[in-house]
Amino acid sequence: MNVRKIVTVVEETRAEGERAVSPPATVAVVAAVIENPWAGQGFVEDLAPGIDANASEVGALLAPAVMEALGAPAEAYGKAAVVGLDGEIEHGSALIHTLTFGDHFRKAANATTLLPAVEKRGAAGVVFDIPLKHITDATIRSHHQTVEVRVADAPHPNEIIIALAAAAQGRPQQRLAALSTEQ
């Protein structure tokens, strides 16, 4: 795996809806800009060798980094893959939709649910939203949220941004009723 850069963003929301948020709502994102292992090869039928060579390694790199950046236990989490213009969306999906990638984050966050994800193709500087859901119960509405991310000079056409996001809480000032109230 060839990593060009790692970008870490920590966002603290201190006020929402004209009210203080105490403690501040914290969301962390760590993104690795990596070389697309399938770039320049045309259509690759069998993605398994590239998955085997990269998915676990990038998961092992990002999972502890996002937990450290968050600085608190995670309550919500998500993932993203943004493929440069010379790649396929399937290239990003191949890396992040494997247990060898996701289990690093599930273990670090003490999580049991599937990681919500976004995959897309874009030019350098593309904005992408990472969806977040609760780490043990995807039906807990208070933790359904997104975090907006942008890496100014990535992805290059032959790169993929792989990112993990974690939140220490649900949405600031959330007040929706539990899903069970509608059933």
mmCIF file of all heavy atoms in Angstrom, residues 99-120:
data_model
loop_
_atom_site.group_PDB
_atom_site.id
_atom_site.type_symbol
_atom_site.label_atom_id
_atom_site.label_comp_id
_atom_site.label_asym_id
_atom_site.label_seq_id
_atom_site.Cartn_x
_atom_site.Cartn_y
_atom_site.Cartn_z
ATOM 1 N N LEU A 99 -14.453 -7.578 5.641
ATOM 2 C CA LEU A 99 -14.252 -7.729 7.087
ATOM 3 C C LEU A 99 -12.810 -7.443 7.461
ATOM 4 O O LEU A 99 -12.538 -6.948 8.555
ATOM 5 C CB LEU A 99 -14.658 -9.127 7.542
ATOM 6 C CG LEU A 99 -16.152 -9.444 7.448
ATOM 7 C CD1 LEU A 99 -16.417 -10.887 7.846
ATOM 8 C CD2 LEU A 99 -16.977 -8.481 8.289
ATOM 9 N N THR A 100 -11.877 -7.737 6.564
ATOM 10 C CA THR A 100 -10.467 -7.485 6.885
ATOM 11 C C THR A 100 -10.204 -5.997 7.083
ATOM 12 O O THR A 100 -9.309 -5.626 7.832
ATOM 13 C CB THR A 100 -9.522 -8.038 5.808
ATOM 14 O OG1 THR A 100 -9.808 -7.420 4.556
ATOM 15 C CG2 THR A 100 -9.640 -9.536 5.681
ATOM 16 N N PHE A 101 -10.978 -5.137 6.439
ATOM 17 C CA PHE A 101 -10.877 -3.691 6.655
ATOM 18 C C PHE A 101 -11.706 -3.278 7.873
ATOM 19 O O PHE A 101 -11.197 -2.714 8.830
ATOM 20 C CB PHE A 101 -11.367 -2.931 5.415
ATOM 21 C CG PHE A 101 -11.457 -1.444 5.623
ATOM 22 C CD1 PHE A 101 -10.326 -0.651 5.544
ATOM 23 C CD2 PHE A 101 -12.675 -0.836 5.908
ATOM 24 C CE1 PHE A 101 -10.399 0.724 5.749
ATOM 25 C CE2 PHE A 101 -12.763 0.529 6.113
ATOM 26 C CZ PHE A 101 -11.624 1.310 6.035
ATOM 27 N N GLY A 102 -12.993 -3.554 7.846
ATOM 28 C CA GLY A 102 -13.927 -3.047 8.860
ATOM 29 C C GLY A 102 -13.724 -3.586 10.255
ATOM 30 O O GLY A 102 -13.995 -2.886 11.229
ATOM 31 N N ASP A 103 -13.254 -4.814 10.370
ATOM 32 C CA ASP A 103 -13.091 -5.378 11.712
ATOM 33 C C ASP A 103 -12.056 -4.634 12.552
ATOM 34 O O ASP A 103 -12.154 -4.625 13.779
ATOM 35 C CB ASP A 103 -12.754 -6.865 11.640
ATOM 36 C CG ASP A 103 -13.994 -7.728 11.436
ATOM 37 O OD1 ASP A 103 -15.125 -7.192 11.505
ATOM 38 O OD2 ASP A 103 -13.831 -8.941 11.194
ATOM 39 N N HIS A 104 -11.090 -3.995 11.917
ATOM 40 C CA HIS A 104 -10.138 -3.187 12.686
ATOM 41 C C HIS A 104 -10.876 -2.073 13.432
ATOM 42 O O HIS A 104 -10.612 -1.812 14.609
ATOM 43 C CB HIS A 104 -9.069 -2.575 11.765
ATOM 44 C CG HIS A 104 -8.129 -3.564 11.203
ATOM 45 N ND1 HIS A 104 -7.128 -4.149 11.944
ATOM 46 C CD2 HIS A 104 -8.029 -4.083 9.960
ATOM 47 C CE1 HIS A 104 -6.451 -4.994 11.182
ATOM 48 N NE2 HIS A 104 -6.972 -4.970 9.975
ATOM 49 N N PHE A 105 -11.819 -1.423 12.752
ATOM 50 C CA PHE A 105 -12.569 -0.327 13.365
ATOM 51 C C PHE A 105 -13.578 -0.861 14.377
ATOM 52 O O PHE A 105 -13.733 -0.315 15.469
ATOM 53 C CB PHE A 105 -13.266 0.491 12.278
ATOM 54 C CG PHE A 105 -13.676 1.884 12.688
ATOM 55 C CD1 PHE A 105 -13.293 2.471 13.874
ATOM 56 C CD2 PHE A 105 -14.454 2.640 11.819
ATOM 57 C CE1 PHE A 105 -13.678 3.767 14.220
ATOM 58 C CE2 PHE A 105 -14.845 3.934 12.152
ATOM 59 C CZ PHE A 105 -14.455 4.488 13.352
ATOM 60 N N ARG A 106 -14.273 -1.949 14.030
ATOM 61 C CA ARG A 106 -15.230 -2.518 14.977
ATOM 62 C C ARG A 106 -14.537 -2.889 16.288
ATOM 63 O O ARG A 106 -15.043 -2.602 17.366
ATOM 64 C CB ARG A 106 -15.933 -3.729 14.364
ATOM 65 C CG ARG A 106 -17.177 -3.347 13.567
ATOM 66 C CD ARG A 106 -17.933 -4.569 13.083
ATOM 67 N NE ARG A 106 -17.301 -5.174 11.936
ATOM 68 C CZ ARG A 106 -17.371 -4.684 10.703
ATOM 69 N NH1 ARG A 106 -18.066 -3.595 10.459
ATOM 70 N NH2 ARG A 106 -16.764 -5.293 9.716
ATOM 71 N N LYS A 107 -13.369 -3.502 16.204
ATOM 72 C CA LYS A 107 -12.638 -3.880 17.420
ATOM 73 C C LYS A 107 -12.184 -2.651 18.199
ATOM 74 O O LYS A 107 -12.310 -2.592 19.427
ATOM 75 C CB LYS A 107 -11.447 -4.778 17.071
ATOM 76 C CG LYS A 107 -11.857 -6.163 16.650
ATOM 77 C CD LYS A 107 -10.677 -7.005 16.203
ATOM 78 C CE LYS A 107 -11.171 -8.330 15.653
ATOM 79 N NZ LYS A 107 -10.138 -9.049 14.925
ATOM 80 N N ALA A 108 -11.659 -1.657 17.505
ATOM 81 C CA ALA A 108 -11.168 -0.445 18.177
ATOM 82 C C ALA A 108 -12.302 0.313 18.858
ATOM 83 O O ALA A 108 -12.097 0.936 19.895
ATOM 84 C CB ALA A 108 -10.461 0.463 17.175
ATOM 85 N N ALA A 109 -13.504 0.261 18.272
ATOM 86 C CA ALA A 109 -14.648 1.011 18.811
ATOM 87 C C ALA A 109 -15.553 0.152 19.688
ATOM 88 O O ALA A 109 -16.563 0.641 20.195
ATOM 89 C CB ALA A 109 -15.464 1.585 17.655
ATOM 90 N N ASN A 110 -15.213 -1.125 19.875
ATOM 91 C CA ASN A 110 -16.092 -2.058 20.587
ATOM 92 C C ASN A 110 -17.476 -2.071 19.963
ATOM 93 O O ASN A 110 -18.496 -1.991 20.655
ATOM 94 C CB ASN A 110 -16.164 -1.722 22.084
ATOM 95 C CG ASN A 110 -14.842 -1.916 22.766
ATOM 96 O OD1 ASN A 110 -14.192 -2.942 22.573
ATOM 97 N ND2 ASN A 110 -14.420 -0.932 23.539
ATOM 98 N N ALA A 111 -17.519 -2.161 18.648
ATOM 99 C CA ALA A 111 -18.754 -2.059 17.882
ATOM 100 C C ALA A 111 -19.197 -3.416 17.361
ATOM 101 O O ALA A 111 -18.388 -4.343 17.242
ATOM 102 C CB ALA A 111 -18.548 -1.102 16.717
ATOM 103 N N THR A 112 -20.487 -3.493 17.026
ATOM 104 C CA THR A 112 -21.035 -4.737 16.497
ATOM 105 C C THR A 112 -21.832 -4.538 15.211
ATOM 106 O O THR A 112 -22.114 -5.513 14.525
ATOM 107 C CB THR A 112 -21.951 -5.413 17.534
ATOM 108 O OG1 THR A 112 -22.977 -4.491 17.922
ATOM 109 C CG2 THR A 112 -21.158 -5.850 18.760
ATOM 110 N N THR A 113 -22.210 -3.326 14.876
ATOM 111 C CA THR A 113 -23.030 -3.102 13.693
ATOM 112 C C THR A 113 -22.170 -2.951 12.438
ATOM 113 O O THR A 113 -20.966 -2.712 12.520
ATOM 114 C CB THR A 113 -23.886 -1.827 13.838
ATOM 115 O OG1 THR A 113 -23.019 -0.716 14.062
ATOM 116 C CG2 THR A 113 -24.876 -1.946 14.972
ATOM 117 N N LEU A 114 -22.830 -3.075 11.298
ATOM 118 C CA LEU A 114 -22.150 -2.792 10.041
ATOM 119 C C LEU A 114 -21.816 -1.313 9.986
ATOM 120 O O LEU A 114 -22.574 -0.472 10.482
ATOM 121 C CB LEU A 114 -23.040 -3.165 8.855
ATOM 122 C CG LEU A 114 -23.303 -4.654 8.658
ATOM 123 C CD1 LEU A 114 -24.301 -4.859 7.521
ATOM 124 C CD2 LEU A 114 -22.009 -5.402 8.379
ATOM 125 N N LEU A 115 -20.710 -1.002 9.347
ATOM 126 C CA LEU A 115 -20.297 0.393 9.187
ATOM 127 C C LEU A 115 -21.058 1.019 8.021
ATOM 128 O O LEU A 115 -20.985 0.508 6.900
ATOM 129 C CB LEU A 115 -18.808 0.457 8.850
ATOM 130 C CG LEU A 115 -17.831 0.357 9.995
ATOM 131 C CD1 LEU A 115 -16.521 -0.244 9.544
ATOM 132 C CD2 LEU A 115 -17.620 1.720 10.573
ATOM 133 N N PRO A 116 -21.774 2.119 8.246
ATOM 134 C CA PRO A 116 -22.384 2.802 7.104
ATOM 135 C C PRO A 116 -21.283 3.401 6.239
ATOM 136 O O PRO A 116 -20.199 3.722 6.728
ATOM 137 C CB PRO A 116 -23.256 3.879 7.741
ATOM 138 C CG PRO A 116 -22.674 4.102 9.080
ATOM 139 C CD PRO A 116 -22.038 2.810 9.505
ATOM 140 N N ALA A 117 -21.566 3.541 4.943
ATOM 141 C CA ALA A 117 -20.493 3.932 4.025
ATOM 142 C C ALA A 117 -20.990 4.859 2.927
ATOM 143 O O ALA A 117 -22.171 4.889 2.606
ATOM 144 C CB ALA A 117 -19.889 2.689 3.385
ATOM 145 N N VAL A 118 -20.031 5.562 2.356
ATOM 146 C CA VAL A 118 -20.235 6.297 1.114
ATOM 147 C C VAL A 118 -19.096 5.924 0.183
ATOM 148 O O VAL A 118 -17.956 5.766 0.621
ATOM 149 C CB VAL A 118 -20.290 7.833 1.334
ATOM 150 C CG1 VAL A 118 -18.983 8.377 1.876
ATOM 151 C CG2 VAL A 118 -20.676 8.553 0.056
ATOM 152 N N GLU A 119 -19.444 5.715 -1.078
ATOM 153 C CA GLU A 119 -18.447 5.486 -2.109
ATOM 154 C C GLU A 119 -18.797 6.408 -3.266
ATOM 155 O O GLU A 119 -19.963 6.551 -3.614
ATOM 156 C CB GLU A 119 -18.465 4.054 -2.646
ATOM 157 C CG GLU A 119 -18.367 2.968 -1.623
ATOM 158 C CD GLU A 119 -19.725 2.504 -1.121
ATOM 159 O OE1 GLU A 119 -20.773 2.864 -1.668
ATOM 160 O OE2 GLU A 119 -19.723 1.776 -0.128
ATOM 161 N N LYS A 120 -17.776 7.013 -3.843
ATOM 162 C CA LYS A 120 -17.999 7.841 -5.016
ATOM 163 C C LYS A 120 -16.704 8.030 -5.761
ATOM 164 O O LYS A 120 -15.636 7.704 -5.253
ATOM 165 C CB LYS A 120 -18.631 9.185 -4.629
ATOM 166 C CG LYS A 120 -17.728 10.133 -3.846
ATOM 167 C CD LYS A 120 -18.439 11.388 -3.363
ATOM 168 C CE LYS A 120 -18.785 12.350 -4.452
ATOM 169 N NZ LYS A 120 -19.419 13.582 -3.943
#
